Amino acid sequence: MPGIVKIFSYKDIPGENQVGGIIPDEPFLADHEVHYQGQPVLLIVAENEDAAEEAIREIKIEIEPLPVITDPREAFKQGKLLSPSRKFVKGNVEVAFSKCKYIFEGSTESGGQEQLYLETQGAYAYPTEHDSVKIFSSTQGPTQVQRTAAMVLGVGMNKVEVDVPRLGGGFGGKEDQASAWGTMAAMAAWILKRPAKCIPHRMEDMRMTGKRNPYSSDYKIGLDENHNIIAYEATFYQNGGAAADLSPAILERTLFHATNSYNIPHVKVVAHSCKTNLPPNTAFRGFGGPQGMFVIEAAIDHAARSLNIAPDLIQRKNMMDNGDEFPYGQIVSESQAKSCWDEATDIYNLESVKKEVDWFNKQNQFYKKGWALMPVCFGISFTNTMMNQARALVHVYSDGTVGVSTGAVEMGQGVNSKMLQVAATCFGISPGKIKLESTNTTRVSNTSPSAASSTADLNGKALLNACNQIKERLVNFIKTELTDNEDKTVEIKDEVVYINDEASIFNWKNLVQQAFMKRINLSAKGHYATPYINFDKTIEKGHPFAYHVYGTALTITTVDCLRGTYKIDAVKVVHDFGSSMNRAVDLGQCEGGIVQGVGWMTMEEVVYNADGKLLSNALSTYKIPDIYSVPKEIEIKFLNTDGNDMAIFRSKAVGEPPLMYGIGAFFAIRNAVLAFNPTATIPYSAPITPEKVLMALYK
Ligand code: MTE
Ligand code: HPA
Ligand code: MOS
């Protein structure tokens, strides 16, 4: 057909037909079977988009239907697992349950969530010298794109260069799943020796890419007569989709966060990664943590409702303390769980909120309010210890300007601002003198993806290491060459060199120039690997996290009991930012995370039909919070602490933890519905959409 350059099938792949990141179970192009609707089968290379679309219409593929499974429990029954099941155990639940005064059991569901980055997936590539290829990719994981493209092309990683300018959002969706798009562009460019671009439209992106893993879970919680939680058991059925992708790692984080901020002496949590015929599900802010936390919060709510007490009594009573042990063996230290909780209930005046809500509910027949408290304890580090490393490359140019490269990808989370701050602070110069380069695999290699909220910590510490090397050389140069006195103290502040606390005739610019003349090395490569962390999967114990981030949210909602609609009146938070190095960025992350979490719990509904076809495939059918549905009020208080030394400049990671405050919205809405209809049955099934609310109001 006119305009068609080439059509590739799996038979044309020069290397391996494989894009699986953790487990090699995902073909780049389908070979003999397709496992989900939206799986890539052919790669059409055309002169322009219209020609490619024409060709798609003319191609007929005959597919013999096989049974479709979309439900994780069904997949589990049939023994379809993506990876071995995992189990974390602390104490002895069997014995403990036999001694509990109260035991409650139930099930929960939490739905998928579309990352909905504003910039869709995509890449472009061109052939370069030495039979190589350069890919510009919208990815959180430049090295993952490089590795995948090299494997599919059958070349060494040194022949694939990946360059990443800032992204229009990732939210986990481009941690692993950018690889296929980058590889498509690379394969066309490398084989055809022409530049090639591959960017899906929004509907294609939504149809073809994986989302947050939906979970179906069972819980059993046991309490003594004083409402201490003695035992907790849960089984998680993760809907993984048709290939492992990141699901095994996500599964693990679900177990790490299965008990949230609570200290429970006897715990047994089991997780199964179930293989279904959906697009492979993947990372989304929180990475399985939110799915685990939702279940324990449901269990506590269940217990409180049944015992006719307020859930916050059970929550507060069982909150962790320093010295307690997480089910995975790490000892709780520097816990801010109780301090965040107590400060939130104090400054947001929980007692009067309770009274006001009761009063409102007495006054209004068809509007009801509800409130809920949501504590969060989130572990910082990749759960895979190996991934907690980073590098940075710094050049000080002879005119005093600075070029900084790290493995960090800017996707809106503000990491570039933080990297600028690190270099500027270390050198004592203005950020205006520093340029942050794009993230590039030939400048900084073997990067971990920008993920796990750890990007600023890992890359910031590597960058600090590189800057310190150069600074040390400059300081030594001054001491030995310029002042002839090694005992003097040298400091650079506001681009002025201070010798023995006195401003000298040297400034940053002429210092750099003189150092260059004397052949001092003005470049450095920094490396950082998080110390102390470890995890032994054979016994499921260790110290996987550098530190934890804590916080508590109070959520208040109003439900319109005629229509089933609701609004979120307020989300009020006390959050442990450590010693924030950039309050504007950190506040933005906190607000964004809250809104995204509220969206997941209330309105964002990923719907597939029985054949695994995505029905919520556009912004008309998939609703995310807009300006009308965001909380009317978001208040965020910075907990006053010194932060943690494992964090860059003691400024704690902030990317993911606030998302989980959104879980409070589910329970606040549920409580409002119960205020209208105390006998309503409202399953712990998120999102709690207006449709579900309406059904519950008038069962
Ligand atoms: N914020 C914006 N604006 N855009 C994003 O894509 N991704 C989130 C979070 N905040 C994201 C974001 C996710 S999933 C993670 S893991 C962190 O940012 C990653 O960045 P960090 O490690 O620098 O926090
Ligand atoms: N968090 C986020 N992304 C990841 C992780 C993690 O713990 N492990 C691998 N990718
Ligand atoms: Mo975030 S889900 O770790 O990219």
Side-chain angles (χ1 to χ4, degrees):
M1 288 175 66
I4 301 301
V5 179
K6 178 83 188 170
I7 298 181
F8 293 112
S9 77
Y10 73 94
K11 290 180 185 155
D12 303 303
I13 292 169
E16 278 177 59
N17 183 19
Q18 189 51 245
V19 294
I22 297 180
I23 296 171
D25 67 348
E26 187 177 355
F28 171 55
L29 295 173
D31 43 31
H32 296 91
E33 289 183 346
V34 289
H35 289 265
Y36 63 93
Q37 296 207 32
Q39 182 174 350
V41 178
L42 298 170
L43 178 61
I44 303 170
V45 188
E47 294 291 348
N48 57 60
E49 211 179 309
D50 291 343
E53 299 279 354
E54 269 305 292
I56 289 173
R57 278 190 287 277
E58 292 301 320
I59 294 171
K60 302 278 177 284
I61 300 177
E62 279 174 27
I63 296 178
E64 199 182 306
L66 291 170
V68 175
I69 302 175
T70 58
D71 173 29
R73 290 190 192 246
E74 181 56 36
F76 180 77
K77 245 189 257 160
Q78 297 189 19
K80 292 184 188 301
L81 293 181
L82 291 165
S83 58
S85 298
R86 302 279 296 270
K87 178 164 77 178
F88 285 13
V89 175
K90 176 186 170 190
N92 186 330
V93 278
E94 283 78 18
V95 173
F97 274 121
S98 71
K99 294 182 182 150
C100 286
K101 173 118 193 250
Y102 309 107
I103 294 175
F104 305 98
E105 287 180 77
S107 300
T108 73
E109 303 281 336
S110 64
Q113 187 176 22
E114 164 62 49
Q115 288 85 0
L116 219 81
Y117 24 69
L118 285 184
E119 177 201 16
T120 56
Q121 301 275 359
Y124 59 103
Y126 57 77
T128 53
E129 273 186 78
H130 308 300
D131 210 20
S132 301
V133 65
K134 179 164 180 173
I135 310 171
F136 292 86
S137 168
S138 181
T139 181
Q140 294 172 240
T143 295
Q144 192 54 28
V145 176
Q146 180 191 26
R147 186 180 290 124
T148 307
M151 186 154 68
V152 171
L153 297 181
V155 301
M157 284 169 75
N158 61 353
K159 297 234 168 137
V160 181
E161 175 182 353
V162 178
D163 196 278
V164 184
R166 66 173 57 220
L167 317 190
F171 302 110
K174 296 170 184 169
E175 178 174 339
D176 214 47
Q177 297 212 345
S179 301
W181 307 96
T183 303
M184 288 179 206
M187 181 160 151
W190 189 74
I191 293 179
L192 302 170
K193 299 286 174 253
R194 294 180 61 176
K197 190 185 245 183
C198 184
I199 300 176
H201 285 286
R202 175 65 63 188
M203 280 173 90
E204 292 163 351
D205 184 305
M206 291 179 80
R207 187 167 59 90
M208 295 173 74
T209 65
K211 319 195 184 306
R212 183 190 294 286
N213 297 85
Y215 275 58
S216 184
S217 312
D218 298 326
Y219 62 81
K220 180 174 175 185
I221 190 169
L223 298 87
D224 69 11
E225 64 281 5
N226 298 317
H227 305 140
N228 295 307
I229 305 173
I230 302 301
Y232 178 64
E233 204 178 304
T235 306
F236 302 99
Y237 299 90
Q238 177 198 56
N239 192 333
D245 194 271
L246 290 166
S247 289
I250 293 164
L251 191 77
E252 182 173 72
R253 200 175 264 281
T254 300
L255 295 180
F256 281 118
H257 297 310
T259 52
N260 194 10
S261 308
Y262 308 107
N263 178 49
I264 305 176
H266 303 276
V267 177
K268 184 168 92 184
V269 283
V270 178
H272 309 293
S273 186
C274 308
K275 180 173 179 172
T276 59
N277 299 110
L278 299 178
N281 285 314
T282 193
F284 194 134
R285 208 171 192 171
F287 205 77
Q291 290 95 318
M293 289 186 195
F294 178 66
V295 180
I296 181 93
E297 293 302 328
I300 291 174
D301 185 81
H302 181 171
R305 283 271 160 198
S306 307
L307 295 170
N308 208 15
I309 59 174
D312 61 297
L313 297 179
I314 300 180
Q315 288 172 306
R316 176 63 179 83
K317 183 153 213 174
N318 293 281
M319 202 136 283
M320 61 175 60
D321 256 328
N322 289 337
D324 291 342
E325 188 182 329
F326 288 102
Y328 46 90
Q330 188 161 339
I331 303 299
V332 179
S333 65
E334 300 178 68
S335 171
Q336 304 292 352
K338 283 182 176 167
S339 46
C340 287
W341 177 282
D342 291 344
E343 191 156 331
T345 52
D346 179 36
I347 62 173
Y348 301 130
N349 217 332
L350 180 64
E351 287 318 307
S352 67
V353 167
K354 287 183 181 178
K355 283 194 196 112
E356 281 159 31
V357 167
D358 286 344
W359 181 85
F360 180 94
N361 289 346
K362 282 201 188 82
Q363 303 299 307
N364 293 277
Q365 190 185 353
F366 288 114
Y367 288 95
K368 297 292 179 191
K369 282 190 189 289
W371 61 272
L373 280 157
M374 179 66 201
V376 170
C377 166
F378 194 81
I380 301 302
S381 285
F382 285 96
T383 55
N384 180 355
T385 301
M386 181 278 290
M387 295 174 79
N388 296 284
Q389 53 171 313
R391 278 152 294 277
L393 174 66
V394 178
H395 297 313
V396 176
Y397 292 99
S398 55
D399 68 351
T401 60
V402 178
V404 165
S405 298
T406 74
V409 170
E410 173 61 55
M411 53 186 133
Q413 89 279 37
V415 73
N416 276 1
S417 303
K418 291 185 175 177
M419 294 307 101
L420 276 183
Q421 281 179 272
V422 169
T425 306
C426 178
F427 287 143
I429 63 177
S430 147
K433 276 225 160 32
I434 304 167
K435 181 189 169 205
L436 227 1
E437 305 288 356
S438 60
T439 316
N440 181 299
T441 54
T442 58
R443 281 192 300 270
V444 177
S445 60
N446 303 326
T447 60
S448 287
S450 286
S453 305
S454 302
T455 315
D457 281 359
L458 296 175
N459 292 278
K461 295 241 179 192
L463 175 57
L464 191 58
N465 174 285
C467 293
N468 275 332
Q469 292 174 41
I470 298 174
K471 189 169 139 183
E472 208 175 289
R473 291 180 211 140
L474 290 172
V475 167
N476 281 341
F477 172 70
I478 295 176
K479 286 185 178 176
T480 54
E481 300 272 331
L482 299 179
T483 72
D484 235 0
N485 186 343
E486 292 195 23
D487 294 335
K488 294 198 166 151
T489 65
V490 175
E491 238 191 312
I492 309 166
K493 265 192 310 209
D494 304 324
E495 299 184 14
V496 174
V497 177
Y498 288 79
I499 299 173
N500 276 353
D501 291 329
E502 266 177 47
S504 71
I505 53 163
F506 300 109
N507 60 32
W508 171 258
K509 193 171 167 173
N510 62 31
L511 167 64
V512 166
Q513 277 164 350
Q514 300 209 37
F516 177 63
M517 301 298 281
K518 291 284 161 140
R519 300 186 292 174
I520 301 292
N521 179 1
L522 295 176
S523 295
K525 193 90 202 236
H527 173 84
Y528 178 74
T530 312
Y532 312 122
I533 53 173
N534 62 75
F535 193 70
D536 183 350
K537 273 193 190 185
T538 60
I539 51 170
E540 304 285 26
K541 298 278 179 200
H543 187 108
F545 298 117
Y547 59 90
H548 290 78
V549 168
Y550 299 87
T552 293
L554 170 63
T555 303
I556 305 165
T557 61
T558 307
V559 173
D560 178 333
C561 300
L562 284 176
R563 296 174 181 82
T565 55
Y566 46 74
K567 62 176 200 244
I568 313 295
D569 301 325
V571 178
K572 300 180 179 201
V573 171
V574 172
H575 185 84
D576 163 28
F577 294 88
S579 169
S580 174
M581 68 186 279
N582 191 322
R583 290 170 80 99
V585 163
D586 287 354
L587 260 184
Q589 283 297 293
C590 205
E591 291 172 351
I594 290 168
V595 171
Q596 214 161 30
V598 169
W600 173 53
M601 279 285 113
T602 61
M603 62 198 300
E604 298 186 36
E605 199 171 24
V606 177
V607 184
Y608 292 94
N609 72 8
D611 287 334
K613 179 182 175 177
L614 181 68
L615 301 179
S616 51
N617 64 349
L619 282 155
S620 53
T621 46
Y622 185 75
K623 293 295 190 186
I624 64 162
D626 59 12
I627 196 66
Y628 301 104
S629 50
V630 292
K632 300 293 163 256
E633 193 188 347
I634 293 181
E635 202 174 329
I636 296 159
K637 169 91 196 310
F638 287 68
L639 185 77
N640 204 357
T641 68
D642 295 336
N644 189 297
D645 206 31
M646 301 279 268
I648 180 70
F649 290 168
R650 309 187 76 83
S651 177
K652 282 191 172 183
V654 68
E656 293 168 289
L659 182 132
M660 283 147 274
Y661 296 137
I663 294 171
F666 178 95
F667 293 96
I669 292 169
R670 193 176 186 279
N671 292 339
V673 173
L674 287 166
F676 179 82
N677 175 5
T679 64
T681 51
I682 316 165
Y684 295 111
S685 171
I688 186 161
T689 58
E691 291 88 333
K692 284 190 197 162
V693 168
L694 193 64
M695 299 308 234
L697 288 164
Y698 298 102
K699 196 61 169 243

